[in-house]
């Protein structure tokens, strides 16, 4: 019933709920979307935050939905697609366009999902900069220590200036 409701929502409008937004990611993937998923914790955050604050979902329910998506991301219907890296990367953390810490509760939920499930996809591209919280570093290290080998670490102190030297505006460079 809940999946049908999320699908009905998407049939008539842009997603309004976390569940529908996750379903849209899945639809995009199964209907031919390829490559990196992007700054997942940034563009999914408003849906997550709203549903938690309004009581539509508990944190536990949102975590379960997120983990269900992670499981579906690992479904390879054609054996030839099951290579070591299908580019289902999500980027977490880093900084906002204004240079503030971009980590949010969903960033941590993604780390928890990856650590709990220990699946090969999605790859987690975690970003760090001088304003990153010590907790972010600790949680990323905890996931790495589990040995799942799906977490990559990116240094905004190198990446952002490099993108700026290419002529990319600073706000956009911070949003890589």
């Amino acid at each position: 019933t809940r999946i049908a409701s999320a699908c009905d929502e998407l049939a008539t409008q842009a997603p309004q709920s976390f569940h529908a937004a996750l379903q849209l990611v899945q639809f995009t993937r199964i209907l031919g979307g390829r490559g990196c998923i992007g700054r997942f914790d940034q563009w999914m955050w408003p849906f997550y935050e709203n549903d938690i604050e309004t009581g539509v979902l508990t944190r536990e329910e949102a975590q379960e939905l997120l983990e269900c998506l992670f499981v579906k991301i690992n479904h390879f219907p054609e054996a030839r697609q099951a290579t070591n890296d299908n580019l289902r990367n999500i980027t977490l953390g880093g900084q906002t366009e204004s240079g503030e810490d971009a980590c949010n509760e969903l960033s941590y939920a993604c780390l928890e999902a990856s650590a709990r499930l220990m699946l090969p996809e999605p790859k987690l591209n975690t970003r760090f900069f001088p304003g990153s919280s010590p907790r972010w570093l600790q949680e990323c290290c905890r996931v790495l220590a589990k040995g799942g080998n799906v977490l990559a670490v990116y240094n905004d102190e190198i990446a952002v200036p490099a993108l700026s030297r290419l002529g990319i505006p600073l706000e956009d460079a911070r949003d890589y």
Side-chain angles (χ1 to χ4, degrees):
T1 303
R2 291 174 70 191
I3 293 170
S5 178
C7 292
D8 285 344
E9 181 179 321
L10 292 173
T12 59
Q13 61 187 340
Q16 303 299 306
S17 65
F18 184 62
H19 192 165
L22 291 172
Q23 187 64 55
L24 183 58
V25 171
Q26 174 63 359
F27 281 153
T28 301
R29 190 184 75 76
I30 64 174
L31 295 174
R34 298 284 182 251
C36 296
I37 295 171
R39 293 201 74 189
F40 186 84
D41 62 345
Q42 300 307 295
W43 48 266
M44 293 296 284
W45 172 246
F47 301 106
Y48 178 93
E49 180 183 38
N50 183 65
D51 283 5
I52 298 299
E53 286 182 359
T54 60
V56 171
L57 291 173
T58 65
R59 283 176 173 76
E60 293 77 20
E61 290 168 329
Q63 186 71 36
E64 182 179 4
L65 289 172
L66 177 63
E67 290 176 11
C68 285
L69 175 68
F70 279 26
V71 168
K72 293 303 284 183
I73 286 173
N74 281 274
H75 177 239
F76 304 101
E78 299 178 27
R80 64 181 171 78
Q81 290 179 338
T83 63
N84 190 35
D85 190 355
N86 285 288
L87 299 176
R88 293 187 177 115
N89 300 6
I90 62 173
T91 301
L92 305 171
Q95 53 192 306
T96 64
E97 292 177 357
S98 61
E100 301 296 318
D101 188 2
C103 282
N104 56 50
E105 192 175 312
L106 184 55
S107 310
Y108 292 99
C110 290
L111 288 178
E112 182 180 332
S114 182
R116 182 177 304 165
L117 298 171
M118 297 291 287
L119 295 169
E121 304 283 346
K123 304 291 190 277
L124 306 181
N125 298 333
T126 59
R127 292 178 44 194
F128 289 87
F129 76 114
S132 294
S133 75
R135 178 181 172 219
W136 182 239
L137 176 61
Q138 291 168 344
E139 292 300 317
C140 288
C141 288
R142 186 180 64 78
V143 174
L144 283 168
K146 285 197 64 134
N149 196 29
V150 297
L151 194 145
V153 177
Y154 290 84
N155 182 352
D156 283 7
E157 286 186 279
I158 301 299
V160 171
L163 292 169
S164 292
R165 283 192 300 276
L166 293 173
I168 296 171
L170 180 59
E171 295 79 16
D172 292 336
R174 288 177 176 150
D175 197 32
Y176 78 92

